Amino acid sequence: MSQSNSIILVPTYMDQFQCIGSSCEDTCCAGWGVPIDKATYKKYKKVKEPALAKKLDKVVTRKRSNPTDNYYAKMAMTECKSCPMLSDDHLCEIQLKIGEDYLSTTCASYPRITNIVNSNYEMCATLSCPEAARLALLNPNPMEFFEVKLEKNHKHQFFSELEPNNYTNNQIKSYFWDLRIFSIGLIQNRSYTITDRLLILGLFYQNLQDIVAGGNITETPQLIENYKKLIQAGTLRESLAQIPVEATAQIRLLKELVDFRIHAGGANSRYLNSFETFLAGINYTNTDDIETIASRYQHAHDMYYKPFMEEHFYILENYLVNHIYKNLFPFFGNTFSIMDNYVLLALHYSLIKMHLIGIAGFHKSDFNLDHILTLVQSFAKTIEHNPAYLQLAFDYLKEKEFTSIAGMAIFLKN
């Protein structure tokens, strides 16, 4: 699906983004399936170049069960889970030999994803692409958004659609823009630590969930106003300071979730390397009790993670803003409530932070931006693109009764 001359809302980093090709440290299609849309499949059947046509015929197979126009066929990946159409230089042979027009929608659009809000297009990048992660995360200025004009026939990978204008003011989705602006504004409020910003956001969404449950949805603008005043006045700082630090619960959660992820397979080697570094950074062994590991984890946080991240706090701020924008927060997923959306946001942040604490403990004073980028990018590739994993993590939190703000605070605070 394409749109000519479309005006599209994007974060500023998208204006600078372009694929860096063979100089990229990871490959887009390694470790994933590559879906082929129907229009591209038909094009492949008409390729004239004999050697390429023969290869495409061999590696592109029809999707037999429930094919759709967007997912009509797929690329048969190699034994090491990479795309068979990659050249020795890690460039796409299809694009090299017959041009970009022959790329599937997925390949032509990645890492860009498009949402539709009130019939307007919005685009950003998934941070599983190293170059997109670099541009999105390393800008010390708050992430901004502006409208650009796209070239004709741009291929879009559609992610979500929301039509707030179709709802009345006693339906929560009608307040999407108010909630988005408030949420991003709070996450970018640098008079609070990043953890406190997330905790306040959780308090807000728990209150909002109560309003929704009580059928008082028209009170939403007033709740936003009340919170803006509380944030401005600093009234919540004392309550935030009293939340206990519970490193053992963080380690227990991380261990359970990561055990599942590793055993499920599909983790890319960059992520596995980061994970091994995390374990080594807190001297993790199966024989040590959880309290001993937690004290080493807390030491890594205090000595190496905290000093570095206090100076580079904007990295995780940018990560959270990109997540909020990309996932049409707080309305991602048909089965998730608005509080569930908050829990998923906080879970992503907590898992990244927990990994980075161990990685900082390993590298000590050599801990740097490259370690953070590698973790965030490989985490996105391994975990964000895996709905089953996120569902399992969410179900675990629900089962342990952590899906309230009091529960999530345990994973947010160090």
Side-chain angles (χ1 to χ4, degrees):
M1 183 172 176
S2 64
Q3 193 184 46
S4 59
N5 297 329
S6 55
I7 297 293
I8 194 158
L9 185 71
V10 296
T12 37
Y13 69 82
M14 289 301 293
D15 199 37
Q16 302 160 271
F17 176 76
Q18 53 184 33
C19 176
I20 57 172
S22 55
S23 44
C24 186
E25 56 267 55
D26 201 1
T27 307
C28 312
C29 34
W32 286 340
V34 178
I36 308 291
D37 53 283
K38 191 174 185 178
T40 305
Y41 178 80
K42 290 189 164 177
K43 275 184 166 182
Y44 289 166
K45 289 293 167 199
K46 294 176 183 168
V47 169
K48 298 281 192 287
E49 211 266 319
L52 188 64
K54 188 178 177 186
K55 188 169 183 181
L56 284 168
D57 202 44
K58 183 182 167 191
V59 299
V60 177
T61 58
R62 279 284 304 278
K63 186 172 182 277
R64 295 295 164 200
S65 60
N66 307 318
T68 62
D69 283 353
N70 289 331
Y71 194 174
Y72 188 75
K74 58 187 176 182
M75 207 58 91
M77 305 305 266
T78 66
E79 271 183 27
C80 52
K81 294 189 175 176
S82 69
C83 177
M85 300 310 297
L86 281 182
S87 71
D88 293 341
D89 295 332
H90 296 291
L91 294 171
C92 173
E93 286 183 27
I94 297 170
Q95 187 169 349
L96 286 171
K97 291 178 179 172
I98 50 177
E100 199 176 340
D101 286 351
Y102 281 81
L103 293 178
S104 69
T105 299
T106 299
C107 296
S109 57
Y110 180 83
R112 304 166 189 85
I113 53 174
T114 305
N115 290 320
I116 303 173
V117 179
N118 286 333
S119 304
N120 299 315
Y121 282 12
E122 298 185 349
M123 186 189 282
C124 65
T126 167
L127 303 186
S128 53
C129 161
E131 181 64 4
R134 240 187 310 277
L135 292 170
L137 299 178
L138 296 190
N139 182 357
N141 301 315
M143 192 180 288
E144 294 180 326
F145 301 85
F146 68 114
E147 289 184 326
V148 294
K149 204 173 187 181
L150 271 191
E151 71 277 10
K152 285 185 179 178
N153 302 321
H154 184 95
K155 289 182 177 178
H156 291 280
Q157 189 71 33
F158 289 101
F159 186 59
S160 292
E161 183 169 3
L162 189 65
E163 299 288 333
N165 291 353
N166 291 351
Y167 295 90
T168 61
N169 67 351
N170 58 2
Q171 292 174 296
I172 192 62
K173 284 184 178 174
S174 70
Y175 298 102
F176 167 72
W177 274 102
D178 301 312
L179 294 170
R180 170 186 262 185
I181 290 164
F182 170 76
S183 301
I184 289 177
L186 171 52
I187 292 300
Q188 291 182 330
N189 184 335
R190 295 180 173 183
S191 65
Y192 288 85
T193 66
I194 195 83
T195 299
D196 281 354
R197 298 175 220 175
L198 261 177
L199 288 168
I200 296 169
L201 192 70
L203 290 169
F204 170 81
Y205 276 105
Q206 193 150 289
N207 284 162
L208 185 63
Q209 189 71 63
D210 293 343
I211 281 177
V212 172
N216 304 312
I217 290 165
T218 52
E219 291 174 17
T220 300
Q222 189 55 54
L223 182 71
I224 292 173
E225 281 313 306
N226 293 348
Y227 263 85
K228 281 182 179 171
K229 284 175 188 159
L230 288 171
I231 291 161
Q232 182 70 31
T235 319
L236 298 165
R237 289 186 196 273
E238 208 172 300
S239 325
L240 295 171
Q242 285 165 5
I243 293 166
V245 171
E246 305 203 34
T248 49
Q250 292 182 20
I251 290 288
R252 201 169 273 128
L253 167 80
L254 190 69
K255 185 179 182 325
E256 298 236 4
L257 295 181
V258 170
D259 280 352
F260 167 79
R261 185 65 199 100
I262 300 303
H263 297 141
N268 81 344
S269 58
R270 278 165 69 79
Y271 173 69
L272 289 175
N273 288 341
S274 288
F275 180 61
E276 293 298 332
T277 306
F278 155 77
L279 292 180
I282 54 171
N283 298 325
Y284 188 94
T285 65
N286 286 326
T287 50
D288 284 343
D289 63 77
I290 215 104
E291 284 75 17
T292 307
I293 296 165
S295 72
R296 292 198 290 255
Y297 169 78
Q298 194 61 44
H299 176 75
H301 170 271
D302 297 346
M303 291 296 293
Y304 307 109
Y305 173 84
K306 190 180 175 203
F308 189 87
M309 292 308 283
E310 277 177 347
E311 206 177 316
H312 301 91
F313 62 87
Y314 55 85
I315 296 173
L316 292 177
E317 175 191 299
N318 288 334
Y319 176 84
L320 290 167
V321 171
N322 199 66
H323 179 105
I324 288 169
Y325 181 73
K326 173 170 73 86
N327 292 291
L328 301 185
F329 181 87
F331 299 113
F332 171 74
N334 297 324
T335 57
F336 291 120
S337 70
I338 51 178
M339 189 60 191
D340 291 346
N341 264 263
Y342 168 75
V343 169
L344 281 172
L345 175 73
L347 179 65
H348 277 85
Y349 170 83
S350 303
L351 286 171
I352 285 172
K353 183 194 66 177
M354 286 187 247
H355 281 74
L356 289 177
I357 289 168
I359 292 166
F362 179 85
H363 291 288
K364 299 186 166 59
S365 54
D366 292 330
F367 181 55
N368 64 39
L369 295 173
D370 283 341
H371 302 135
I372 298 172
L373 282 174
T374 300
L375 183 273
V376 173
Q377 177 266 329
S378 62
F379 175 91
K381 195 165 188 177
T382 301
I383 287 168
E384 283 183 27
H385 291 265
N386 184 334
Y389 175 82
L390 285 174
Q391 188 64 52
L392 175 114
F394 184 79
D395 291 345
Y396 172 83
L397 290 174
K398 215 156 199 169
E399 179 201 325
K400 302 285 183 193
E401 299 183 339
F402 280 128
T403 52
S404 65
I405 182 56
M408 286 315 295
I410 289 169
F411 298 111
L412 292 170
K413 193 162 179 183
N414 285 87

